[in-house]
Amino acid sequence: MPRCRDGMAEAIRTLDWSRSALGPPEGWPASLRVVAQLMLESRQPMFLAWGEKLSFLYNDSYRPILGTRHPAALGRPFREIWSEIWDDIGPLVRRALEGEATWVENMHLVMQRHGYPEDTWYTFSYSPLRDETGRIAGMFCACTETTGQVLADRQRAEAEAAMRESEARFRNMADHAPVMIWTTDPEGRSTYLNRRWYEFTGQPSGAGEGFGWTAAIHPDDQATAYAAFLAHNAARHPFQIDYRLRRGDGSYAAVIDAAAPRSATPASTSATSARSSTSRSARRPPRR
């Protein structure tokens, strides 16, 4: 024991165990040898702590978590290795040694694995280990570092919050603008129309969303204006079209509808359009 011939298996085989409370592997109880072999052959980061001193054994996948504390951590007391986080994990260790298995998701730990404090997050479980008599003799841990995932989720949440704040500022500005302003999604469906649109057209609030805004276009202009909009929207090109728009009193006004993509690149599949319409004349007789 151990049967492997490289990595941590070799480190365990060649370590001078006279300085560890565990003693040489040849004298380990069968219960410890079995769980140690299982740990060494796993690709999941794992460690175990055994005996009164909770002497530390770990596998190859756990080595990056230790940072510069590898290889000196092998065989040392668990508490000495992770002294800076013992206040955080100590209660969980005690529960495992009392026979209670625990599982923690995305636990924040400030570790000094490279010589400086580092924010890290882990999902892990602590389980009791028993010897041949059934007595709890140590604990076992399987863990996954989730630091990258947690930081990515946090950055994504911050970006989404900033986007929501930006959108709220835009809508506040748009609702107080003297012209009609609205936005559309990549397929051309209207996602927002400002207060001026509904005041001008008399449409009920929300009625212009989707393609509901086209209902306010003069019937003779509707097909042409709608087709021109869809073509320019699909191409992600700025455009300007003229059509007649129904007022709230039922009369029609000639308007200029101008739009530009709201994306970094014209080919972006997530592009949206910001559009504005201004009345070109108070009234325009309908075409015959």
Side-chain angles (χ1 to χ4, degrees):
M1 186 288 157
R3 292 193 297 269
C4 306
R5 292 291 175 181
D6 55 8
M8 289 309 301
E10 183 66 18
I12 290 173
R13 183 180 297 105
T14 58
L15 184 71
D16 178 5
W17 287 97
S18 63
R19 299 182 180 183
S20 172
L22 280 181
E26 294 78 12
W28 293 356
S31 51
L32 173 57
R33 293 199 302 270
V34 168
V35 72
Q37 191 65 51
L38 179 150
M39 174 192 71
L40 290 170
E41 293 181 352
S42 175
R43 299 185 66 178
Q44 171 81 19
M46 295 178 177
F47 71 82
L48 66 86
W50 187 273
E52 292 185 5
K53 297 290 187 180
L54 293 180
S55 299
F56 205 73
L57 302 177
Y58 53 95
N59 64 4
D60 288 299
S61 296
Y62 190 81
R63 286 164 55 176
I65 294 175
L66 286 165
T68 57
R69 291 178 175 177
H70 169 75
L74 186 60
R76 288 178 55 199
F78 186 6
R79 184 166 186 164
E80 288 183 11
I81 298 168
W82 292 121
S83 58
E84 74 273 16
I85 60 171
W86 197 255
D87 287 346
D88 300 304
I89 65 174
L92 299 175
V93 173
R94 285 192 293 274
R95 288 167 63 182
L97 296 177
E98 291 170 358
E100 180 186 357
T102 60
W103 183 81
V104 181
E105 185 175 17
N106 294 332
M107 185 174 186
H108 177 227
L109 297 170
V110 181
M111 308 172 83
Q112 296 193 34
R113 50 188 182 175
H114 297 289
Y116 55 86
E118 183 181 356
D119 286 310
T120 65
W121 285 264
Y122 293 88
T123 293
F124 61 91
S125 64
Y126 283 173
S127 303
L129 290 177
R130 300 180 184 272
D131 62 16
E132 286 78 2
T133 68
R135 180 182 65 87
I136 295 175
M139 54 150 294
F140 178 83
C141 173
C143 61
T144 300
E145 181 170 1
T146 58
T147 302
Q149 174 190 327
V150 169
L151 293 178
D153 290 345
R154 180 176 296 178
Q155 291 173 352
R156 183 164 49 251
E158 291 173 351
E160 290 173 352
M163 184 177 299
R164 287 193 296 269
E165 181 181 352
S166 175
E167 186 67 16
R169 288 197 302 267
F170 166 76
R171 293 193 177 195
N172 182 63
M173 176 276 296
D175 276 339
H176 291 84
V179 297
M180 291 172 279
I181 298 175
W182 66 97
T183 59
T184 60
D185 66 15
E187 285 71 43
R189 292 183 293 265
S190 178
T191 55
Y192 161 77
L193 298 96
N194 72 341
R195 184 183 306 161
R196 177 59 178 153
W197 169 271
Y198 291 110
E199 291 174 347
F200 187 91
T201 64
Q203 282 189 316
S205 179
E209 295 180 5
F211 294 106
W213 58 274
T214 60
I217 298 176
H218 191 284
D220 290 347
D221 299 342
Q222 193 174 85
T224 301
Y226 183 51
F229 162 69
L230 288 181
H232 285 86
N233 184 78
R236 305 292 187 257
H237 289 160
F239 72 89
Q240 178 175 306
I241 54 178
D242 296 359
Y243 52 80
R244 287 167 291 174
L245 191 65
R246 187 181 64 240
R247 295 177 183 269
D249 62 5
S251 62
Y252 286 88
V255 298
I256 300 173
D257 184 350
R262 296 177 66 196
S263 62
T265 61
S268 173
T269 58
S270 62
T272 60
S273 293
R275 305 172 60 188
S276 65
S277 292
T278 54
S279 177
R280 191 171 59 179
S281 60
R283 292 180 186 272
R284 176 180 172 185
R287 297 173 185 169
R288 300 291 184 183

